[in-house]
PDB file of all heavy atoms in Angstrom:
ATOM      1  N   GLY A  66     -10.133  -5.669   0.479  1.00 97.00           N
ATOM      2  CA  GLY A  66      -8.980  -5.411  -0.376  1.00 97.00           C
ATOM      3  C   GLY A  66      -7.919  -6.484  -0.218  1.00 97.00           C
ATOM      4  O   GLY A  66      -7.273  -6.899  -1.188  1.00 97.00           O
ATOM      5  N   GLY A  67      -7.742  -6.957   1.017  1.00 97.00           N
ATOM      6  CA  GLY A  67      -6.760  -8.007   1.289  1.00 97.00           C
ATOM      7  C   GLY A  67      -7.096  -9.320   0.608  1.00 97.00           C
ATOM      8  O   GLY A  67      -6.214 -10.017   0.109  1.00 97.00           O
ATOM      9  N   ILE A  68      -8.371  -9.654   0.567  1.00 98.00           N
ATOM     10  CA  ILE A  68      -8.791 -10.878  -0.125  1.00 98.00           C
ATOM     11  C   ILE A  68      -8.428 -10.774  -1.610  1.00 98.00           C
ATOM     12  O   ILE A  68      -7.869 -11.708  -2.194  1.00 98.00           O
ATOM     13  CB  ILE A  68     -10.305 -11.116   0.047  1.00 98.00           C
ATOM     14  CG1 ILE A  68     -10.608 -11.510   1.487  1.00 98.00           C
ATOM     15  CG2 ILE A  68     -10.799 -12.176  -0.921  1.00 98.00           C
ATOM     16  CD1 ILE A  68     -12.087 -11.557   1.816  1.00 98.00           C
ATOM     17  N   ALA A  69      -8.733  -9.639  -2.215  1.00 98.00           N
ATOM     18  CA  ALA A  69      -8.438  -9.455  -3.642  1.00 98.00           C
ATOM     19  C   ALA A  69      -6.938  -9.478  -3.909  1.00 98.00           C
ATOM     20  O   ALA A  69      -6.472 -10.138  -4.850  1.00 98.00           O
ATOM     21  CB  ALA A  69      -9.051  -8.148  -4.140  1.00 98.00           C
ATOM     22  N   GLY A  70      -6.164  -8.772  -3.090  1.00 97.00           N
ATOM     23  CA  GLY A  70      -4.714  -8.726  -3.291  1.00 97.00           C
ATOM     24  C   GLY A  70      -4.049 -10.071  -3.089  1.00 97.00           C
ATOM     25  O   GLY A  70      -3.185 -10.482  -3.873  1.00 97.00           O
ATOM     26  N   THR A  71      -4.459 -10.781  -2.057  1.00 97.00           N
ATOM     27  CA  THR A  71      -3.895 -12.101  -1.796  1.00 97.00           C
ATOM     28  C   THR A  71      -4.266 -13.079  -2.905  1.00 97.00           C
ATOM     29  O   THR A  71      -3.430 -13.874  -3.351  1.00 97.00           O
ATOM     30  CB  THR A  71      -4.393 -12.638  -0.436  1.00 97.00           C
ATOM     31  OG1 THR A  71      -4.011 -11.718   0.585  1.00 97.00           O
ATOM     32  CG2 THR A  71      -3.810 -13.999  -0.123  1.00 97.00           C
ATOM     33  N   GLY A  72      -5.501 -13.003  -3.367  1.00 97.00           N
ATOM     34  CA  GLY A  72      -5.924 -13.870  -4.462  1.00 97.00           C
ATOM     35  C   GLY A  72      -5.131 -13.609  -5.732  1.00 97.00           C
ATOM     36  O   GLY A  72      -4.705 -14.550  -6.418  1.00 97.00           O
ATOM     37  N   MET A  73      -4.909 -12.338  -6.042  1.00 97.00           N
ATOM     38  CA  MET A  73      -4.140 -11.980  -7.234  1.00 97.00           C
ATOM     39  C   MET A  73      -2.693 -12.467  -7.104  1.00 97.00           C
ATOM     40  O   MET A  73      -2.129 -13.025  -8.052  1.00 97.00           O
ATOM     41  CB  MET A  73      -4.173 -10.475  -7.452  1.00 97.00           C
ATOM     42  CG  MET A  73      -3.388 -10.014  -8.657  1.00 97.00           C
ATOM     43  SD  MET A  73      -4.086 -10.551 -10.214  1.00 97.00           S
ATOM     44  CE  MET A  73      -5.488  -9.476 -10.302  1.00 97.00           C
ATOM     45  N   ARG A  74      -2.102 -12.271  -5.930  1.00 97.00           N
ATOM     46  CA  ARG A  74      -0.718 -12.723  -5.727  1.00 97.00           C
ATOM     47  C   ARG A  74      -0.629 -14.235  -5.847  1.00 97.00           C
ATOM     48  O   ARG A  74       0.271 -14.770  -6.497  1.00 97.00           O
ATOM     49  CB  ARG A  74      -0.195 -12.270  -4.365  1.00 97.00           C
ATOM     50  CG  ARG A  74       1.196 -12.799  -4.076  1.00 97.00           C
ATOM     51  CD  ARG A  74       1.867 -12.179  -2.871  1.00 97.00           C
ATOM     52  NE  ARG A  74       1.023 -11.931  -1.738  1.00 97.00           N
ATOM     53  CZ  ARG A  74       0.903 -12.742  -0.684  1.00 97.00           C
ATOM     54  NH1 ARG A  74       1.557 -13.884  -0.647  1.00 97.00           N
ATOM     55  NH2 ARG A  74       0.133 -12.408   0.318  1.00 97.00           N
ATOM     56  N   TYR A  75      -1.564 -14.948  -5.244  1.00 97.00           N
ATOM     57  CA  TYR A  75      -1.560 -16.412  -5.314  1.00 97.00           C
ATOM     58  C   TYR A  75      -1.649 -16.870  -6.764  1.00 97.00           C
ATOM     59  O   TYR A  75      -0.900 -17.763  -7.193  1.00 97.00           O
ATOM     60  CB  TYR A  75      -2.719 -16.987  -4.492  1.00 97.00           C
ATOM     61  CG  TYR A  75      -2.807 -18.481  -4.577  1.00 97.00           C
ATOM     62  CD1 TYR A  75      -1.949 -19.294  -3.831  1.00 97.00           C
ATOM     63  CD2 TYR A  75      -3.725 -19.097  -5.420  1.00 97.00           C
ATOM     64  CE1 TYR A  75      -2.014 -20.671  -3.924  1.00 97.00           C
ATOM     65  CE2 TYR A  75      -3.795 -20.479  -5.519  1.00 97.00           C
ATOM     66  CZ  TYR A  75      -2.943 -21.260  -4.767  1.00 97.00           C
ATOM     67  OH  TYR A  75      -3.006 -22.626  -4.864  1.00 97.00           O
ATOM     68  N   LEU A  76      -2.545 -16.276  -7.526  1.00 97.00           N
ATOM     69  CA  LEU A  76      -2.714 -16.643  -8.934  1.00 97.00           C
ATOM     70  C   LEU A  76      -1.411 -16.438  -9.709  1.00 97.00           C
ATOM     71  O   LEU A  76      -0.972 -17.330 -10.457  1.00 97.00           O
ATOM     72  CB  LEU A  76      -3.835 -15.813  -9.555  1.00 97.00           C
ATOM     73  CG  LEU A  76      -4.076 -16.003 -11.050  1.00 97.00           C
ATOM     74  CD1 LEU A  76      -4.587 -17.408 -11.328  1.00 97.00           C
ATOM     75  CD2 LEU A  76      -5.060 -14.968 -11.565  1.00 97.00           C
ATOM     76  N   LEU A  77      -0.779 -15.285  -9.532  1.00 97.00           N
ATOM     77  CA  LEU A  77       0.463 -14.999 -10.262  1.00 97.00           C
ATOM     78  C   LEU A  77       1.604 -15.915  -9.824  1.00 97.00           C
ATOM     79  O   LEU A  77       2.408 -16.361 -10.660  1.00 97.00           O
ATOM     80  CB  LEU A  77       0.847 -13.530 -10.094  1.00 97.00           C
ATOM     81  CG  LEU A  77      -0.090 -12.553 -10.798  1.00 97.00           C
ATOM     82  CD1 LEU A  77       0.228 -11.117 -10.401  1.00 97.00           C
ATOM     83  CD2 LEU A  77      -0.033 -12.734 -12.299  1.00 97.00           C
ATOM     84  N   GLU A  78       1.692 -16.217  -8.529  1.00 95.00           N
ATOM     85  CA  GLU A  78       2.744 -17.124  -8.046  1.00 95.00           C
ATOM     86  C   GLU A  78       2.534 -18.536  -8.590  1.00 95.00           C
ATOM     87  O   GLU A  78       3.496 -19.246  -8.863  1.00 95.00           O
ATOM     88  CB  GLU A  78       2.784 -17.147  -6.511  1.00 95.00           C
ATOM     89  CG  GLU A  78       3.248 -15.852  -5.867  1.00 95.00           C
ATOM     90  CD  GLU A  78       4.741 -15.624  -5.905  1.00 95.00           C
ATOM     91  OE1 GLU A  78       5.504 -16.486  -6.409  1.00 95.00           O
ATOM     92  OE2 GLU A  78       5.167 -14.559  -5.435  1.00 95.00           O
ATOM     93  N   GLU A  79       1.278 -18.935  -8.782  1.00 96.00           N
ATOM     94  CA  GLU A  79       0.991 -20.256  -9.343  1.00 96.00           C
ATOM     95  C   GLU A  79       1.280 -20.287 -10.847  1.00 96.00           C
ATOM     96  O   GLU A  79       1.754 -21.294 -11.365  1.00 96.00           O
ATOM     97  CB  GLU A  79      -0.471 -20.644  -9.090  1.00 96.00           C
ATOM     98  CG  GLU A  79      -0.754 -21.016  -7.653  1.00 96.00           C
ATOM     99  CD  GLU A  79      -0.044 -22.279  -7.212  1.00 96.00           C
ATOM    100  OE1 GLU A  79      -0.134 -23.297  -7.921  1.00 96.00           O
ATOM    101  OE2 GLU A  79       0.625 -22.238  -6.150  1.00 96.00           O
TER     102      GLU A  79
END
Side-chain angles (χ1 to χ4, degrees):
I68 290 171
T71 301
M73 179 67 74
R74 176 169 39 97
Y75 177 78
L76 176 66
L77 291 171
E78 292 282 358
E79 287 294 310

